[in-house]
Every structure is written in structure tokens, then in C-alpha cells.
Amino acid sequence: MIIDEIKQMKNQVLEGQFPQWLITDPEVYKLEQERIFGTTWLFLAHESELKEPGEYITRMLADDPILLMKNSNGEIKAFLNSCSHRGTRLCTEDFGKKKAHICPYHGWSYNLDGELIGIVAGNKVYGEKMDKSEWGLRPVPRVESYQGMIFGNLDVNAISLEDYLGDMKWYFDIMLGRSDGGMEVRGIPQRWVAKANWKMTSENFAADPYHVQTTHRSAVEMKLTPSDPLYASYGHQVVLNNGHGINVITSVTGQSANRFQGMPESMWPMFEKNLTNEQLDVFSKVTNFVGGVFPNLSFLSSCSGTEGNKYNHLQFRIWRPISPDQVEIWVWYMIDKALPEEYKEKSYKGFLATFGAAGTLEQDDTENWARIVEASQGKMARDRKLSYNNVANYLMGFDNVEADPNFVGPGTAYPTCYTDHIARSMHKYWFELISAQAEVTINE
Ligand code: FES
Ligand SMILES: [Fe+2]
């Protein structure tokens, strides 16, 4: 059984040696869908994407299409985007505004609360006993939000979103709760399909500033980033619960030349009002926040623009697995509602130049993720017995980097971002979830 083979790898996985066959094995992938994506909180949308009653957006929760709508009371509801009659995908648009959704197949219609309100030819074909209230859209089992970020969970017994996020909330408060009015998504989320495994893409953001100086070498050559090969290592890598983690990157001095990531001074009193002294301390010094919420939500808060004239931009993204070697990437750009329009526009342009489907840095990363899956699917890489060393190396900082007790934020903070502490913590949580229900057998 595949689960027994995985369990035999426990020590290797926990000690920084991730067997390469686990990356793209199709049976492992099925277990991940069931035990990880079927039980954890997955990001769906930001509240600002639905402004008026009747507005809707369509998303994916793992493999399930989801329809999110704002009802007439201003509440956001999330349903399986599937007609209750024969299961047809109900809404095919990405976004829009409607009073009711009508199925294209036989014409059943649903209101903004997902209730079945119309059946073509109604009682004449179904008789008097047909009770419409039993045939509404199926709600997502759990939907909760934090700082405007809406998550769904397919497990009715899951712990609350807030408990799941744990200490990540402290860092979300800095990025999402610092200014009055919160954040807004600008434009619609970009999305495209890339050749990659979801674990590798999630790790790249959450746990791997080490790649920056080699993968993004062209940015150094264009003088967009410093030439010091250690420049993305300064600051702290912070391990949080449940496989989450964040890199709080600073300059070599531990400070930033642009206080509060280059946000205009007019915003500072708002930050001082909304954040604690410890949060202000971290925010005033950081150059980049980059991290992730397990399993597949990542974020980057960075700056672009010429020296001395920096514009902060914040992106959230998911890596939705669609096969062992493919992900659908979704990227949301977010900005403080309270900022002046001119700043927002410059920040948005800086984001588009670097990330998203046309961003220069994005191309660099995508190439490497494709190369990992290309080189992990052959017999030699997958052979469990060929060699003890048939593993990917996550040993950086394993026994030579100690936690820094003086870091002011929550979590276990290490005094460098060039370390694999978060990656090992992600693997540990991955292993716990995968092996948690060992009595359930899939594809024996
Ligand atoms: S499948 Fe939707 S109305 Fe028949
Ligand atoms: Fe990168």
C-alpha cells in the first residue's frame, strides 16, 4: 500500500530529505487531494471582490467549482456551482451581477441565497409534491473569513479558520489590517496553468528566499535588486503552526531605507493607530514579507520603483493542483483602500512588470518548477530502492542555525532567511495529514 511506503519515509521527511518520488507520484497526489485539500482551509476570494448585492464570482475549491454571491442582505454565500437537477455547471462566467442564476440545461433558476425559485413547467411536470426548498444549491460545508480573506473548507469538522491560521493572523494584521477601510483587490485575479507540482510552488514562496539570487539573476543585472548574493537572507525566517511560515526580509543593517515599505507618510498615523508597537517595529524595518498558509496560499509584500521612490505592492496567490505535474495559478493584487489613487496606479504597474503572467520575475520561477517535474517523473528518480539518496535536499540550517529569542513577532524565528526551517515544517505537517487516516485506503 502506498501509505505504508510513505510511512517508511518518515525519518527522511522529518530530517530534511524529501524523497523525490513523493513529488509527482500519481497515487500520492490522490492521497493529497483527499487528506490535505479535503480537510484544510483553502482561499477563495477577498471580500472586496463582491461589492453590491447580486454580484457574483466563480472560483475553484480544489476540484470543485464554486459560486460566490452577495445576497440582498449584503452577506456573501458560497455554493457548489452545480445545478441541483442534473449537476450541470450553473454559472460559466468569471464574475458579473444578476438577480437569479438560470441553468442553461432545463432552465431551473436560483436566487441569491441559492434557493430554487423556478422550475420550467413547474407543478405540471413534477406534480404538487415537489418541494422546491429541498432542491437549492449545495452550500460549501464551511466558509469563514479573516481580514477580508474568505476561505472554504470541505471538512465539516475542521477547526475554525482563526485557529488554523494561528499566529499567521499577527502578520496578516500588518499586511491586511494596517489601514482604515482595509484592502481592495484591483482588477480581477490573473490565472494561468503552469507545469509544476503544488508542493514546489508553495515552498518557493513560503520557504525559499535562497533561490532569489540565482533564479532572478537577471533582476540583479538590470540593477532592480542588490548584487550582494546574501541580500534575500537578511531578516528572519519564522516558522508558524500548521505548516505556515513567513520570511521577514530586511536590508543587511536590519532596517529598510523605506520606512513602512515606502508607504506615504500621510498613512503612518493610521498604521500607528491600528498596529501594536511590536507590529510597527517589524513593519517599519521589513523590505519584503514573503510566506504561505499551508497548503497552497502564498503571499508577497514587496516594493518596486526607483531607489528613494518605492511603491509597495501586495499579492496573494494560490497554486491549485490540477494534476501531479500541473497547477492553476491564481494571483490577486491588493492595495490599501485608503491610499491616494496616484500611488495605487504606480504600485499596480510595478506589480504587473514583475509578477503575474507577464511579469519578468514570474518567468524565471516557472521555468525551474517545470524542470523539477520533468526530472522527477522518470524511473531513476522515482525508484524507491535505487539509492538512499534519491531525495531532495532540505538540510540548510538543520543543525547550524538556532532560533532567535529576541525577535518581537510570534512563531519560532531564525536569524536568516537562507534556511530550510519552514520547508521542513511544511513537510512535517504534510506527513501528519497524509498519514493521519492510515486506515482509509485509496487505490490499494
Ligand atoms: S441540469 Fe440544470 S436544469 Fe437540468
Ligand atoms: Fe522567485
Side-chain angles (χ1 to χ4, degrees), residues 350-365:
F351 161 72
L352 291 175
T354 43
F355 286 96
T360 48
L361 302 184
E362 193 85 47
Q363 319 293 326
D364 304 335
D365 288 314

Side-chain angles (χ1 to χ4, degrees), residues 82-90 102-110 120 126:
S82 172
C83 177
S84 304
H85 180 218
R86 294 284 161 76
T88 307
R89 189 171 183 146
L90 180 64
I102 302 173
C103 179
Y105 200 175
H106 311 90
W108 285 23
S109 53
Y110 303 87
V120 174
Y126 282 97

Side-chain angles (χ1 to χ4, degrees), residues 6 9-19 22 36 198-199 203 239-244 294 394 398 414 420-436:
I6 296 173
M9 306 289 162
K10 183 174 180 183
N11 289 342
Q12 277 180 295
V13 169
L14 299 190
E15 288 173 11
Q17 299 181 48
F18 197 79
L22 292 174
I36 295 177
W198 70 272
K199 296 185 286 300
E203 278 172 28
V239 176
L240 302 170
N241 59 329
N242 298 336
H244 316 322
F294 193 88
Y394 291 91
F398 186 69
Y414 296 88
D420 288 328
H421 277 91
I422 292 176
R424 287 191 294 272
S425 159
M426 292 169 79
H427 295 165
K428 182 165 176 277
Y429 193 54
W430 176 93
F431 188 87
E432 278 170 25
L433 291 175
I434 282 282
S435 53

